[in-house]
Coordinates of all heavy atoms in Angstrom, one line a residue:
M1 N -39.1 23.8 27.9 CA -39.1 23.0 26.6 C -37.8 23.2 25.9 O -37.3 22.2 25.4 CB -40.3 23.5 25.8 CG -40.5 22.7 24.5 SD -41.2 21.1 24.9 CE -41.4 20.5 23.3
M2 N -37.3 24.4 25.9 CA -36.0 24.6 25.2 C -34.9 23.9 25.9 O -34.0 23.4 25.2 CB -35.7 26.1 25.2 CG -34.5 26.5 24.4 SD -34.8 26.1 22.7 CE -33.7 27.3 21.9
S3 N -34.9 23.7 27.2 CA -33.8 23.0 27.8 C -33.7 21.5 27.5 O -32.7 20.9 27.4 CB -33.8 23.2 29.3 OG -35.0 22.5 29.8
E4 N -34.9 20.9 27.2 CA -35.0 19.5 26.8 C -34.3 19.4 25.4 O -33.6 18.4 25.2 CB -36.4 19.0 26.7 CG -37.0 18.9 28.1 CD -38.5 18.5 28.0 OE1 -38.9 18.0 26.9 OE2 -39.2 18.6 29.0
E5 N -34.5 20.3 24.5 CA -33.9 20.3 23.2 C -32.4 20.4 23.3 O -31.6 19.7 22.6 CB -34.4 21.4 22.3 CG -35.9 21.1 21.9 CD -36.4 22.3 21.1 OE1 -35.7 23.2 20.7 OE2 -37.6 22.3 20.8
V6 N -31.9 21.3 24.2 CA -30.5 21.5 24.4 C -29.9 20.2 25.0 O -28.8 19.8 24.6 CB -30.2 22.7 25.3 CG1 -28.8 22.8 25.7 CG2 -30.7 24.0 24.6
Q7 N -30.6 19.6 26.0 CA -30.1 18.4 26.6 C -30.0 17.2 25.5 O -29.1 16.5 25.5 CB -31.0 17.9 27.7 CG -30.6 18.6 29.0 CD -31.5 18.0 30.1 OE1 -32.6 17.6 29.9 NE2 -30.9 17.9 31.3
E8 N -31.0 17.2 24.7 CA -31.0 16.1 23.6 C -29.9 16.3 22.7 O -29.2 15.4 22.3 CB -32.4 16.1 22.9 CG -32.5 15.0 21.9 CD -33.9 15.0 21.3 OE1 -34.9 15.2 22.0 OE2 -34.0 14.7 20.1
K9 N -29.6 17.6 22.3 CA -28.5 17.9 21.4 C -27.2 17.5 22.0 O -26.3 16.9 21.4 CB -28.6 19.4 21.0 CG -27.5 19.8 20.1 CD -27.6 19.3 18.7 CE -26.5 20.0 17.8 NZ -26.0 19.1 16.8
A10 N -27.1 17.8 23.3 CA -25.8 17.6 24.0 C -25.6 16.0 24.1 O -24.5 15.6 23.9 CB -25.8 18.2 25.4
S11 N -26.6 15.3 24.4 CA -26.5 13.8 24.5 C -26.2 13.2 23.1 O -25.4 12.2 23.0 CB -27.7 13.2 25.1 OG -28.8 13.3 24.2
D12 N -26.7 13.8 22.0 CA -26.4 13.3 20.7 C -24.9 13.6 20.4 O -24.2 12.7 19.8 CB -27.3 14.0 19.6 CG -28.7 13.5 19.7 OD1 -28.9 12.5 20.3 OD2 -29.5 14.2 19.1
D13 N -24.4 14.7 20.8 CA -23.0 15.0 20.5 C -22.1 14.1 21.3 O -21.0 13.7 20.9 CB -22.7 16.5 20.9 CG -23.3 17.5 19.9 OD1 -23.6 17.0 18.7 OD2 -23.4 18.7 20.2
V14 N -22.5 13.8 22.6 CA -21.7 12.9 23.4 C -21.7 11.5 22.8 O -20.6 10.8 22.7 CB -22.2 12.8 24.9 CG1 -21.6 11.7 25.6 CG2 -22.0 14.2 25.5
M15 N -22.8 11.0 22.3 CA -22.9 9.7 21.7 C -22.1 9.7 20.4 O -21.4 8.7 20.1 CB -24.3 9.3 21.4 CG -24.5 7.9 20.8 SD -26.2 7.4 20.6 CE -26.8 8.5 19.4
W16 N -22.1 10.8 19.6 CA -21.3 10.8 18.4 C -19.9 10.8 18.7 O -19.1 10.0 18.0 CB -21.7 12.1 17.6 CG -20.9 12.2 16.4 CD1 -21.1 11.5 15.2 CD2 -19.8 13.1 16.1 NE1 -20.2 11.9 14.3 CE2 -19.4 12.9 14.8 CE3 -19.1 14.0 16.9 CZ2 -18.3 13.6 14.3 CZ3 -18.1 14.7 16.4 CH2 -17.7 14.5 15.1
M17 N -19.4 11.5 19.7 CA -18.0 11.5 20.0 C -17.6 10.1 20.6 O -16.5 9.6 20.3 CB -17.7 12.6 21.0 CG -17.7 14.0 20.5 SD -16.6 14.2 19.1 CE -15.0 14.0 19.9
R18 N -18.4 9.4 21.3 CA -18.1 8.1 21.8 C -18.0 7.1 20.7 O -17.0 6.3 20.7 CB -19.2 7.7 22.8 CG -18.9 6.4 23.5 CD -20.0 5.9 24.4 NE -20.5 7.0 25.3 CZ -21.8 7.2 25.5 NH1 -22.7 6.4 25.0 NH2 -22.1 8.2 26.3
M19 N -18.8 7.2 19.7 CA -18.7 6.3 18.5 C -17.4 6.6 17.7 O -16.7 5.7 17.3 CB -19.9 6.5 17.6 CG -21.2 5.9 18.2 SD -22.7 6.2 17.2 CE -22.2 6.4 15.6
M20 N -17.1 7.9 17.6 CA -15.9 8.2 16.8 C -14.6 7.7 17.5 O -13.7 7.2 16.9 CB -15.8 9.7 16.6 CG -16.9 10.3 15.8 SD -16.8 9.7 14.1 CE -15.5 10.8 13.5
K21 N -14.6 7.8 18.9 CA -13.5 7.3 19.6 C -13.4 5.8 19.5 O -12.3 5.3 19.3 CB -13.6 7.7 21.1 CG -13.4 9.1 21.4 CD -13.6 9.4 22.9 CE -13.5 10.9 23.1 NZ -13.7 11.2 24.5
R22 N -14.5 5.1 19.5 CA -14.4 3.6 19.4 C -13.9 3.2 18.0 O -13.1 2.3 17.9 CB -15.8 3.0 19.7 CG -16.2 3.0 21.1 CD -17.5 2.4 21.4 NE -17.8 2.6 22.8 CZ -19.0 2.3 23.4 NH1 -19.9 1.8 22.6 NH2 -19.2 2.4 24.6
Y23 N -14.4 3.9 17.0 CA -13.9 3.5 15.6 C -12.4 3.9 15.5 O -11.7 3.1 14.9 CB -14.7 4.3 14.6 CG -16.1 3.7 14.4 CD1 -17.2 4.6 14.4 CD2 -16.4 2.4 14.2 CE1 -18.5 4.1 14.3 CE2 -17.6 1.9 14.0 CZ -18.7 2.7 14.1 OH -20.0 2.3 13.9
A24 N -12.0 5.0 16.1 CA -10.6 5.4 16.0 C -9.7 4.4 16.7 O -8.6 4.0 16.2 CB -10.4 6.8 16.5
I25 N -10.2 3.9 17.9 CA -9.4 2.9 18.6 C -9.3 1.6 17.8 O -8.3 1.0 17.8 CB -10.0 2.7 20.0 CG1 -9.8 3.9 20.9 CG2 -9.5 1.4 20.7 CD1 -10.6 3.9 22.2
G26 N -10.4 1.2 17.2 CA -10.4 0.0 16.3 C -9.4 0.2 15.2 O -8.7 -0.8 14.9
M27 N -9.3 1.3 14.6 CA -8.4 1.6 13.5 C -7.0 1.5 14.0 O -6.1 0.9 13.4 CB -8.6 2.9 12.9 CG -9.8 2.9 11.9 SD -9.9 4.5 11.0 CE -8.4 4.4 10.0
V28 N -6.7 2.1 15.2 CA -5.3 2.0 15.7 C -4.9 0.6 16.0 O -3.8 0.2 15.7 CB -5.2 3.0 16.9 CG1 -3.9 2.7 17.7 CG2 -5.4 4.4 16.5
I29 N -5.8 -0.2 16.6 CA -5.5 -1.6 16.9 C -5.3 -2.3 15.6 O -4.3 -3.2 15.5 CB -6.6 -2.2 17.8 CG1 -6.6 -1.6 19.2 CG2 -6.5 -3.7 17.9 CD1 -7.9 -2.0 20.0
G30 N -6.1 -2.1 14.6 CA -5.9 -2.8 13.3 C -4.6 -2.4 12.7 O -3.9 -3.3 12.1
I31 N -4.2 -1.2 12.7 CA -2.9 -0.8 12.2 C -1.7 -1.4 12.9 O -0.8 -1.8 12.3 CB -2.8 0.8 12.1 CG1 -3.8 1.3 11.1 CG2 -1.4 1.2 11.8 CD1 -4.0 2.8 11.1
A32 N -1.9 -1.5 14.3 CA -0.8 -2.1 15.1 C -0.7 -3.6 14.7 O 0.4 -4.1 14.6 CB -1.2 -1.9 16.6
I33 N -1.8 -4.3 14.6 CA -1.8 -5.7 14.2 C -1.2 -5.9 12.8 O -0.3 -6.8 12.6 CB -3.2 -6.3 14.2 CG1 -3.7 -6.4 15.6 CG2 -3.2 -7.7 13.6 CD1 -5.2 -6.8 15.7
L34 N -1.5 -5.0 11.9 CA -0.9 -5.1 10.5 C 0.6 -4.8 10.6 O 1.4 -5.5 9.9 CB -1.6 -4.1 9.6 CG -3.0 -4.5 9.1 CD1 -3.6 -3.4 8.3 CD2 -3.0 -5.8 8.4
A35 N 1.0 -3.8 11.4 CA 2.4 -3.5 11.5 C 3.2 -4.7 12.1 O 4.4 -4.9 11.8 CB 2.6 -2.3 12.3
Y36 N 2.6 -5.4 13.0 CA 3.2 -6.6 13.6 C 3.2 -7.8 12.6 O 4.2 -8.5 12.6 CB 2.5 -7.0 14.9 CG 2.9 -8.3 15.5 CD1 4.1 -8.3 16.2 CD2 2.1 -9.4 15.4 CE1 4.5 -9.5 16.7 CE2 2.5 -10.6 15.9 CZ 3.7 -10.7 16.6 OH 4.1 -11.9 17.2
A37 N 2.2 -8.0 11.9 CA 2.0 -9.2 11.1 C 2.7 -9.1 9.7 O 3.1 -10.2 9.2 CB 0.5 -9.5 10.9
F38 N 2.8 -8.0 9.1 CA 3.4 -7.9 7.7 C 4.8 -8.4 7.7 O 5.2 -9.1 6.7 CB 3.2 -6.5 7.1 CG 2.0 -6.4 6.3 CD1 1.0 -5.5 6.6 CD2 1.9 -7.1 5.1 CE1 -0.2 -5.4 5.8 CE2 0.7 -7.0 4.3 CZ -0.3 -6.2 4.7
P39 N 5.7 -8.0 8.6 CA 7.0 -8.5 8.5 C 7.1 -10.0 8.6 O 8.0 -10.7 8.0 CB 7.8 -7.8 9.7 CG 7.0 -6.6 9.9 CD 5.6 -6.9 9.6
Q40 N 6.2 -10.6 9.4 CA 6.2 -12.1 9.5 C 5.7 -12.8 8.3 O 6.0 -13.9 8.0 CB 5.3 -12.5 10.7 CG 5.8 -12.1 12.0 CD 4.8 -12.5 13.1 OE1 3.8 -13.1 12.9 NE2 5.1 -12.2 14.4
L41 N 4.9 -12.0 7.4 CA 4.4 -12.6 6.2 C 5.5 -13.0 5.2 O 5.4 -13.9 4.5 CB 3.4 -11.7 5.6 CG 2.7 -12.2 4.3 CD1 1.8 -13.4 4.7 CD2 1.8 -11.1 3.7
Q42 N 6.6 -12.2 5.2 CA 7.7 -12.4 4.3 C 8.5 -13.7 4.7 O 9.1 -14.4 3.9 CB 8.6 -11.2 4.2 CG 7.9 -10.0 3.6 CD 8.8 -8.8 3.7 OE1 9.9 -8.8 4.2 NE2 8.3 -7.7 3.2
V43 N 8.5 -14.0 6.0 CA 9.2 -15.1 6.5 C 8.4 -16.4 6.3 O 8.9 -17.4 5.8 CB 9.6 -14.9 8.0 CG1 10.3 -16.2 8.6 CG2 10.4 -13.7 8.2
E44 N 7.2 -16.4 6.8 CA 6.3 -17.6 6.6 C 4.9 -17.1 6.5 O 4.4 -16.1 7.1 CB 6.4 -18.5 7.9 CG 6.0 -17.8 9.1 CD 5.9 -18.8 10.3 OE1 5.3 -19.9 10.1 OE2 6.5 -18.5 11.3
A45 N 4.2 -17.8 5.6 CA 2.8 -17.5 5.4 C 1.9 -18.5 6.0 O 1.1 -19.2 5.3 CB 2.5 -17.3 3.9
S46 N 1.9 -18.7 7.3 CA 1.1 -19.7 8.0 C -0.3 -19.1 8.2 O -0.5 -17.9 8.1 CB 1.8 -20.1 9.3 OG 1.8 -19.0 10.2
K47 N -1.2 -20.0 8.6 CA -2.6 -19.6 8.8 C -2.7 -18.5 9.9 O -3.5 -17.6 9.8 CB -3.5 -20.8 9.1 CG -3.8 -21.6 7.9 CD -4.8 -22.6 8.2 CE -5.2 -23.4 6.9 NZ -6.2 -24.4 7.1
P48 N -2.0 -18.7 11.1 CA -2.2 -17.6 12.1 C -1.7 -16.2 11.6 O -2.4 -15.2 11.9 CB -1.3 -18.1 13.2 CG -1.2 -19.6 13.1 CD -1.2 -19.8 11.6
V49 N -0.7 -16.2 10.8 CA -0.2 -14.9 10.3 C -1.2 -14.3 9.3 O -1.5 -13.1 9.4 CB 1.2 -15.0 9.6 CG1 1.6 -13.7 9.0 CG2 2.2 -15.5 10.6
L50 N -1.8 -15.1 8.5 CA -2.8 -14.7 7.5 C -4.1 -14.2 8.3 O -4.7 -13.2 7.9 CB -3.1 -15.8 6.5 CG -2.0 -16.1 5.6 CD1 -2.4 -17.3 4.7 CD2 -1.6 -14.9 4.8
L51 N -4.4 -14.9 9.4 CA -5.6 -14.5 10.1 C -5.3 -13.2 10.9 O -6.2 -12.4 11.0 CB -6.0 -15.6 11.2 CG -6.6 -16.9 10.6 CD1 -6.8 -17.9 11.6 CD2 -7.9 -16.5 9.9
E52 N -4.1 -13.0 11.3 CA -3.8 -11.7 11.9 C -3.9 -10.6 10.9 O -4.4 -9.5 11.2 CB -2.3 -11.7 12.5 CG -2.1 -12.5 13.7 CD -0.7 -12.6 14.1 OE1 0.2 -12.0 13.4 OE2 -0.4 -13.3 15.1
I53 N -3.4 -10.8 9.7 CA -3.5 -9.8 8.7 C -5.0 -9.5 8.3 O -5.4 -8.4 8.1 CB -2.7 -10.2 7.4 CG1 -1.2 -10.1 7.8 CG2 -3.0 -9.3 6.2 CD1 -0.3 -10.6 6.7
L54 N -5.8 -10.6 8.2 CA -7.2 -10.4 8.0 C -7.9 -9.6 9.1 O -8.7 -8.7 8.8 CB -7.9 -11.8 7.8 CG -9.4 -11.8 7.6 CD1 -9.6 -11.2 6.2 CD2 -9.9 -13.2 7.7
L55 N -7.6 -9.9 10.3 CA -8.2 -9.2 11.5 C -7.8 -7.8 11.5 O -8.6 -6.8 11.7 CB -7.8 -9.9 12.8 CG -8.3 -9.2 14.1 CD1 -9.8 -9.2 14.1 CD2 -7.7 -9.8 15.3
G56 N -6.5 -7.5 11.2 CA -6.0 -6.1 11.2 C -6.6 -5.3 10.1 O -7.0 -4.2 10.2
G57 N -6.8 -6.0 8.9 CA -7.5 -5.3 7.8 C -8.9 -5.0 8.1 O -9.4 -3.9 7.7
I58 N -9.6 -5.9 8.7 CA -11.0 -5.7 9.0 C -11.2 -4.6 10.0 O -12.0 -3.7 9.8 CB -11.7 -7.0 9.5 CG1 -11.9 -8.0 8.4 CG2 -13.0 -6.7 10.2 CD1 -12.3 -9.4 8.8
L59 N -10.3 -4.6 11.0 CA -10.4 -3.5 12.0 C -10.0 -2.1 11.4 O -10.7 -1.1 11.7 CB -9.5 -3.8 13.2 CG -9.9 -4.8 14.2 CD1 -8.8 -5.2 15.2 CD2 -11.2 -4.3 14.9
T60 N -9.0 -2.1 10.6 CA -8.6 -0.8 10.0 C -9.7 -0.3 9.0 O -10.1 0.9 9.2 CB -7.3 -1.0 9.2 OG1 -6.3 -1.5 10.1 CG2 -6.8 0.3 8.6
F61 N -10.1 -1.1 8.1 CA -11.1 -0.6 7.1 C -12.5 -0.4 7.7 O -13.2 0.5 7.4 CB -11.1 -1.5 5.9 CG -9.9 -1.3 5.1 CD1 -9.0 -2.4 5.0 CD2 -9.6 -0.2 4.4 CE1 -7.8 -2.2 4.2 CE2 -8.5 0.0 3.6 CZ -7.6 -1.0 3.5
G62 N -12.8 -1.3 8.7 CA -14.1 -1.2 9.4 C -14.2 0.1 10.2 O -15.2 0.8 10.2
G63 N -13.1 0.4 10.9 CA -13.0 1.7 11.7 C -13.1 2.9 10.8 O -13.8 3.9 11.1
G64 N -12.4 2.8 9.6 CA -12.4 4.0 8.7 C -13.8 4.1 8.1 O -14.3 5.3 8.0
F65 N -14.5 3.0 7.8 CA -15.9 3.1 7.3 C -16.8 3.7 8.3 O -17.7 4.5 8.0 CB -16.3 1.7 6.8 CG -17.7 1.7 6.3 CD1 -18.0 2.2 5.0 CD2 -18.7 1.2 7.0 CE1 -19.3 2.2 4.5 CE2 -20.0 1.2 6.6 CZ -20.3 1.7 5.3
G66 N -16.6 3.2 9.6 CA -17.5 3.7 10.7 C -17.3 5.1 10.9 O -18.3 5.9 11.1
I67 N -16.1 5.6 10.9 CA -15.8 7.1 11.0 C -16.5 7.8 9.9 O -17.1 8.9 10.1 CB -14.3 7.3 11.1 CG1 -13.8 6.9 12.5 CG2 -14.0 8.8 10.9 CD1 -12.3 7.0 12.6
A68 N -16.4 7.4 8.7 CA -16.9 8.1 7.5 C -18.5 8.1 7.7 O -19.1 9.2 7.4 CB -16.5 7.4 6.2
V69 N -19.1 7.0 8.0 CA -20.6 7.0 8.1 C -21.0 7.9 9.3 O -22.0 8.6 9.2 CB -21.1 5.5 8.3 CG1 -22.5 5.5 8.7 CG2 -20.8 4.8 7.0
S70 N -20.3 7.8 10.4 CA -20.7 8.6 11.6 C -20.6 10.1 11.3 O -21.4 10.9 11.6 CB -19.8 8.3 12.8 OG -20.0 7.0 13.2
L71 N -19.5 10.5 10.6 CA -19.3 11.9 10.2 C -20.4 12.3 9.3 O -20.9 13.4 9.4 CB -17.9 12.1 9.6 CG -17.5 13.5 9.3 CD1 -17.5 14.4 10.5 CD2 -16.2 13.5 8.6
F72 N -20.7 11.5 8.3 CA -21.8 11.8 7.3 C -23.1 12.1 8.0 O -23.7 13.1 7.8 CB -21.9 10.7 6.3 CG -23.1 10.9 5.4 CD1 -23.1 11.8 4.4 CD2 -24.3 10.1 5.6 CE1 -24.2 12.0 3.6 CE2 -25.4 10.2 4.8 CZ -25.3 11.2 3.8
F73 N -23.5 11.2 8.9 CA -24.8 11.4 9.6 C -24.7 12.5 10.6 O -25.7 13.2 10.8 CB -25.2 10.1 10.3 CG -25.8 9.1 9.4 CD1 -25.2 7.9 9.1 CD2 -27.0 9.4 8.7 CE1 -25.7 7.0 8.2 CE2 -27.6 8.5 7.8 CZ -26.9 7.3 7.6
H74 N -23.6 12.7 11.2 CA -23.5 13.9 12.1 C -23.6 15.2 11.4 O -24.4 16.1 11.8 CB -22.1 13.8 12.8 CG -21.9 15.0 13.7 ND1 -22.5 15.2 14.9 CD2 -21.0 16.1 13.6 CE1 -22.1 16.3 15.5 NE2 -21.2 16.9 14.7
L75 N -23.0 15.3 10.2 CA -23.1 16.5 9.4 C -24.5 16.7 8.9 O -25.1 17.8 8.8 CB -22.1 16.5 8.3 CG -20.6 16.6 8.7 CD1 -19.7 16.5 7.5 CD2 -20.4 18.0 9.4
W76 N -25.1 15.6 8.5 CA -26.5 15.6 7.9 C -27.5 16.1 9.0 O -28.3 16.9 8.7 CB -26.8 14.2 7.4 CG -28.1 14.1 6.7 CD1 -29.0 15.1 6.3 CD2 -28.8 12.9 6.3 NE1 -30.1 14.6 5.7 CE2 -30.0 13.3 5.7 CE3 -28.5 11.6 6.5 CZ2 -30.9 12.3 5.2 CZ3 -29.4 10.7 6.0 CH2 -30.6 11.0 5.4
H77 N -27.4 15.5 10.2 CA -28.4 15.9 11.2 C -28.1 17.2 11.8 O -29.0 17.8 12.4 CB -28.4 14.8 12.3 CG -29.1 13.5 11.7 ND1 -30.4 13.5 11.4 CD2 -28.5 12.3 11.5 CE1 -30.7 12.2 11.0 NE2 -29.6 11.5 11.0
S78 N -26.8 17.7 11.8 CA -26.5 19.0 12.4 C -27.1 20.1 11.5 O -27.3 21.2 12.0 CB -25.0 19.1 12.6 OG -24.3 19.2 11.4
K79 N -27.2 19.9 10.2 CA -27.8 20.9 9.3 C -29.3 21.0 9.4 O -29.8 22.0 9.1 CB -27.3 20.6 7.9 CG -25.9 20.8 7.7 CD -25.5 20.7 6.3 CE -24.0 20.8 6.2 NZ -23.5 21.1 4.9
E80 N -29.9 20.0 10.0 CA -31.4 20.0 10.1 C -31.8 20.9 11.2 O -32.9 21.5 11.2 CB -31.9 18.6 10.3 CG -31.9 17.8 9.1 CD -32.5 16.4 9.4 OE1 -32.9 16.2 10.5 OE2 -32.5 15.6 8.5
S81 N -31.0 21.0 12.3 CA -31.4 21.8 13.5 C -31.2 23.3 13.3 O -30.5 23.9 12.6 CB -30.6 21.4 14.7 OG -30.0 20.2 14.7

């Protein structure tokens, strides 16, 4: 019985780390898109450039929000055990 609890805890940790990596990758991609698009914004403010900035912002802030929520729930559930 005890080994099942240990396996469940290990699988939860693996899933949590997988989620954190995906959110972090999303943030890095978003920051890269923003770094590419912001200098173009000063030259021309066309729709594709604005859409790039929108996509970069969504990825950056969405990734940060996902990391914060995942960390919150990880800490919350780790104190219960």
Side-chain angles (χ1 to χ4, degrees):
M1 184 75 173
M2 185 65 155
S3 65
E4 290 177 14
E5 291 177 7
V6 171
Q7 275 185 327
E8 187 177 317
K9 176 71 171 147
S11 68
D12 288 345
D13 288 341
V14 169
M15 184 173 62
W16 178 75
M17 287 302 294
R18 187 180 313 138
M19 287 174 29
M20 294 295 282
K21 286 178 187 176
R22 287 181 182 172
Y23 287 130
I25 289 169
M27 281 187 68
V28 169
I29 291 171
I31 291 170
I33 291 172
L34 288 174
Y36 172 75
F38 264 117
Q40 293 180 1
L41 185 63
Q42 295 173 358
V43 177
E44 63 173 308
S46 64
K47 283 188 179 182
V49 174
L50 294 176
L51 289 175
E52 288 174 1
I53 290 175
L54 180 66
L55 178 64
I58 288 172
L59 283 172
T60 302
F61 289 109
F65 179 75
I67 287 175
V69 170
S70 295
L71 183 62
F72 171 74
F73 281 114
H74 176 71
L75 292 174
W76 184 12
H77 290 292
S78 67
K79 292 186 181 196
E80 288 180 4
S81 344

